[in-house]
Amino acid sequence: MRIGVLALQGAFIEHIHKLQALGIDTFEIRQPADLQTTCDGLIIPGGESTVIGKLLVELQLLTPLKNAIQAGLPVLGTCAGLILLAKTISNATQPGINTMDIVTTRNGYGRQLGSFNTVATFAGEKIPMVFIRAPYIQKVGPQVEVLGQVEGRIIAARQANMLATAFHPELTDDPKVYQYFITMINQQNQRRVV
Amino acid sequence: MTENNRYALNKNLAQMLKGGVIMDVSTPQQARIAQEAGASAVMALERIPADIRVAGGVARMSDPKMIKSIQAAVSIPVMAKVRIGHFVEAQILQEIQIDFIDESEVLSPADDKFHIDKTNFEVPFVCGAKNLGEALRRISEGAAMIRTKGEPGTGDIVQAVRHMRLMNAAIKKITSMAEDELFEEAKQLEVSYEAVKYIHENGKLPVVNFAAGGIATPADAALMMQLGAEGVFVGSGIFKSGDPAKRAAAIVKAVTNYNDAKMIAALSEDLGEAMVGINESEIKVLMAERGQ
């Protein structure tokens, strides 16, 4: 299995280290030439969503990645990655991939003083979660499964091949989000073989 | 909400800024240009370093009202500077919910002996360092991020390069030392044994390390990234140049693709006039010497 990590800005190396610890091959995506290789899954990391969105457009990565996701490529978006996957941002207008039927609120918990960590349920299991100037999901469409909530706000969700978390699994030692994503990829690959 | 480890959260915010460009801005309009160009954060200050250098006199924290107007103008993190050792200026910035405080040698030092005890604060601090000893002392005082000191406001990259190379060389040296040599190294660097042991085991600082001071072109930014910086601060280099929006966007892209000479060559074309700059040897006040 080989997972591409979008490496335009932000905490991409942390994701790569987590995947490597699970014995998974990774590669960095910085320009279209990096996509000429087998790719079973994609991670869009945390960082500044305005920066990553702008660079996606200007480095001509937005269309190929969007097409791949729409064609079924499994994708995990964390924090800024969630914002980029969302169809709608309630409080901003900025370029994004916009494939996932969710409405998100950017900087949903305010500035850095609102950043926090907690333990909450993700897909039925309690895990540690770190929220840094995080967004939350305000609303989900009918095809979207809610995978986690903190204090009544949705912070993790899945729609078909798309998984999004408002928190940062790359900043804790718990591998459950990655294991969940790897299972998604395996199911997708089986489907492809059949 | 559960009990939080502020320091860990603050180091985490610095991680999110990596691979990005933090730009000095002095008006809401400049802040919007910076955000539009792809800045991962902005540094709000009344006068950019080049102007502070020209104006002379005592340089202080900016007017909180001006900082708030920049917070209102952009959605990315907003940083602001306090004088070295001026913990009340830091209290003020924390009060207005700043995302990051830069305890900066660019302003006139308020304390010629002590830095701020940053462990007393909830908001993160970034501090400048010329070498590994300074970096580790600032981290032990609670800094969540380190940057080179460079020589602000000059457009001369030589000091940032020197500081980054000194830091890298010192880290490499400690990495290859025998365990029993670490005690003496801690003594020489005037830092704790634990700090030296961390470097020995991990081969890097325990916090994110950016380059700052004198970065004026996409090539400067890529140079610092190739030397091991995890991101860059650009101060006077953008809004002292002929076409700030274009130059800013080009520097952002050069930081993302810092190893791609073909792309950096294309980005370097037709950027208009760079800031004029002053050579290190031509200036009277070496800001990097402030705070050891």
Side-chain angles (χ1 to χ4, degrees):
Chain A
M1 184 183 297
R2 212 154 168 268
I3 297 181
V5 180
L6 191 64
L8 301 180
Q9 191 269 324
F12 49 84
I13 198 75
E14 288 80 351
H15 277 297
I16 290 171
H17 290 156
K18 293 288 167 196
L19 292 171
Q20 285 171 345
L22 293 169
I24 290 172
D25 258 0
T26 61
F27 64 100
E28 294 184 3
I29 302 170
R30 292 170 192 267
Q31 45 182 284
D34 298 330
L35 297 173
Q36 330 259 308
T37 161
T38 49
C39 178
D40 299 301
L42 168 69
I43 291 184
I44 307 175
E48 277 305 315
S49 60
T50 50
V51 180
I52 301 172
K54 181 192 157 69
L55 289 168
L56 276 174
V57 175
E58 295 192 354
L59 298 168
Q60 277 110 41
L61 279 165
L62 184 61
T63 311
L65 289 181
K66 188 171 178 163
N67 290 344
I69 292 168
Q70 280 171 334
L73 178 70
V75 57
L76 163 63
T78 61
C79 193
L82 177 151
I83 296 167
L84 288 157
L85 285 176
K87 266 198 181 137
T88 315
I89 306 171
S90 70
N91 54 349
T93 316
Q94 59 191 62
I97 293 168
N98 311 129
T99 47
M100 193 169 173
D101 193 11
I102 55 175
V103 179
T104 182
T105 301
R106 272 196 67 193
N107 299 336
Y109 300 87
R111 298 185 174 280
Q112 174 60 5
L113 284 174
S115 294
F116 65 100
N117 44 35
T118 188
V119 175
T121 304
F122 167 81
E125 292 188 86
K126 291 242 182 234
I127 61 167
M129 297 179 182
V130 179
F131 294 81
I132 305 293
R133 285 173 49 96
Y136 61 83
I137 300 172
Q138 201 187 309
K139 219 158 70 180
V140 300
Q143 308 299 317
V144 179
E145 180 190 358
V146 172
L147 294 177
Q149 298 191 37
V150 170
E151 296 185 343
R153 286 170 167 175
I154 302 168
I155 45 80
R158 175 183 177 179
Q159 178 185 352
N161 58 320
M162 295 173 279
L163 175 64
T165 68
F167 59 91
H168 292 277
E170 77 279 18
L171 298 179
T172 65
D173 290 330
D174 192 292
K176 291 205 185 64
V177 173
Y178 295 99
Q179 288 162 347
Y180 186 98
F181 184 52
I182 290 163
T183 306
M184 276 172 63
I185 295 174
N186 285 331
Q187 286 165 351
Q188 182 77 9
N189 285 350
Q190 274 172 356
R191 221 170 291 148
R192 215 179 285 165
V193 172
V194 174
Chain B
M1 251 153 240
T2 52
E3 187 56 37
N4 285 311
N5 180 347
R6 290 311 313 179
Y7 185 57
L9 290 168
N10 288 340
K11 285 201 289 183
N12 289 158
L13 175 60
Q15 285 174 277
M16 295 305 138
L17 298 170
K18 279 188 306 179
V21 182
I22 299 167
M23 302 182 193
D24 280 5
V25 297
S26 33
T27 64
Q29 193 206 353
Q30 286 184 356
R32 278 188 289 265
I33 292 172
Q35 177 169 278
E36 194 65 24
S40 61
V42 289
M43 177 77 69
L45 73 173
E46 274 160 340
R47 280 193 302 221
I48 54 177
D51 292 334
I52 291 174
R53 201 172 271 291
V54 172
V58 176
R60 308 178 179 88
M61 178 191 78
S62 299
D63 182 345
K65 188 176 170 185
M66 170 265 170
I67 297 168
K68 283 198 238 169
S69 72
I70 286 171
Q71 287 175 315
V74 293
S75 63
I76 55 179
V78 177
M79 304 184 167
K81 291 183 193 290
V82 299
R83 285 177 267 177
I84 290 173
H86 206 316
F87 49 85
V88 174
E89 287 186 344
Q91 289 163 6
I92 291 170
L93 291 184
Q94 174 162 281
E95 198 53 40
I96 65 169
Q97 297 248 331
I98 203 78
D99 291 302
F100 236 109
I101 295 174
D102 184 2
E103 186 181 19
S104 178
E105 69 283 1
V106 174
L107 305 181
S108 309
D111 193 318
D112 51 16
K113 196 157 178 199
F114 300 104
H115 281 72
I116 296 172
D117 177 0
K118 294 164 273 286
T119 60
N120 286 332
F121 289 80
E122 304 267 293
V123 291
F125 279 76
V126 53
C127 288
K130 298 196 297 293
N131 53 49
L132 184 62
E134 277 188 30
L136 293 176
R137 283 194 289 281
R138 296 298 86 77
I139 293 165
S140 69
E141 294 158 4
M145 179 177 180
I146 291 292
R147 55 171 175 75
T148 61
K149 280 179 165 172
E151 192 52 35
T154 61
D156 187 353
I157 196 76
V158 66
Q159 293 221 13
V161 168
R162 187 184 299 146
H163 300 161
M164 191 58 77
R165 281 196 183 273
L166 273 174
M167 191 106 66
N168 290 343
I171 289 173
K172 275 188 209 131
K173 181 177 145 205
I174 291 173
T175 311
S176 61
M177 275 180 166
E179 294 266 339
D180 60 359
E181 294 172 340
L182 301 179
F183 299 95
E184 176 63 18
E185 186 66 10
K187 195 171 99 188
Q188 294 298 330
L189 288 173
E190 300 178 60
V191 300
S192 73
Y193 167 72
E194 287 69 30
V196 173
K197 194 157 171 23
Y198 181 93
I199 301 284
H200 180 66
E201 286 167 359
N202 297 279
K204 66 185 287 298
L205 291 180
V207 303
V208 167
N209 186 20
F210 269 47
I215 295 164
T217 66
D220 289 344
L223 172 68
M224 296 313 300
M225 293 297 288
Q226 288 195 25
L227 284 173
E230 295 179 280
V232 302
F233 284 82
V234 185
S236 320
I238 290 173
F239 289 98
K240 279 283 161 191
S241 75
D243 188 344
K246 192 169 179 188
R247 183 169 293 268
I251 291 175
V252 168
K253 271 180 262 179
V255 167
T256 295
N257 281 293
Y258 62 90
N259 277 323
D260 185 340
K262 192 174 168 194
M263 187 178 297
I264 299 166
L267 290 170
S268 303
E269 275 186 21
D270 210 15
L271 289 178
E273 209 171 318
M275 73 178 287
V276 176
I278 335 168
N279 291 307
E280 179 197 25
S281 53
E282 296 169 340
I283 53 180
K284 291 202 192 87
V285 181
L286 277 179
M287 291 177 177
E289 293 307 317
R290 293 169 169 173
Q292 302 290 311

